Amino acid sequence: MFFKASVILFLLLRASPLFANDEQAQDPALIALPDTCVALREGRNCYADIELNWQQDNIGNYCLRDATSKHIMQCWLRQKSGQLHYAFDSVESISFELINSDTGKTIAATQVQLQWVYQNRQKKRRWRLF
């Protein structure tokens, strides 16, 4: 009986507006849509048109860059939000960072994940004479 009551209490608290407001307050500052690219076979390039959106509370100078190579893709001066269309063409997942160009600090990050429909499962082949 105690277990059932605690489960019901947990579900009621989880559905309360207090928790919903907490989740909304933690909206990510940098979003990639779609955040997953699906290729037919493992090891093949995946192609997708990715839309990178960012938003900040304060007006400032911001840049979007590739997290691995640190290559700056685009910068915005005196803005609170921005959008970039990116032609995704890769065999691996790519991470992006939003940085404050005045301080060089990373503010937000996101990633475009790679998935495959078919994974390579090569069998070991042995030579036979007969």
Side-chain angles (χ1 to χ4, degrees):
M1 179 68 179
F2 176 74
F3 178 73
K4 288 181 182 177
S6 61
V7 169
I8 292 172
L9 181 61
F10 173 76
L11 291 174
L12 288 174
L13 286 174
R14 187 73 178 127
S16 73
L18 175 66
F19 284 101
N21 289 339
D22 286 345
E23 290 172 3
Q24 290 173 355
Q26 296 176 356
D27 284 341
L30 177 61
I31 299 173
L33 294 174
D35 63 353
T36 304
C37 186
V38 181
L40 188 59
R41 293 216 176 265
E42 184 177 4
R44 298 267 176 104
N45 279 27
C46 189
Y47 304 97
D49 292 325
I50 306 294
E51 186 176 292
L52 296 161
N53 294 305
W54 64 269
Q55 186 168 358
Q56 290 294 306
D57 294 333
N58 301 323
I59 293 176
N61 301 326
Y62 301 102
C63 291
L64 192 63
R65 71 179 180 188
D66 184 322
T68 307
S69 67
K70 305 298 184 196
H71 171 74
I72 293 182
M73 302 162 62
Q74 185 171 340
C75 290
W76 294 266
L77 299 175
R78 297 185 319 234
Q79 298 292 319
K80 290 177 71 170
S81 64
Q83 181 179 29
L84 175 70
H85 294 279
Y86 178 73
F88 186 85
D89 175 8
S90 180
V91 292
E92 59 187 21
S93 298
I94 296 179
S95 296
F96 301 96
E97 294 176 334
L98 180 67
I99 62 167
N100 183 326
S101 61
D102 296 330
T103 62
K105 291 185 179 180
T106 301
I107 299 168
T110 191
Q111 185 177 28
V112 176
Q113 301 264 339
L114 219 67
Q115 289 186 351
W116 301 281
V117 176
Y118 301 108
Q119 291 184 347
N120 290 335
R121 297 177 196 237
Q122 296 178 352
K123 296 179 182 178
K124 292 183 180 179
R125 297 183 185 193
R126 298 184 180 172
W127 288 89
R128 290 188 178 191
L129 295 174
F130 299 101

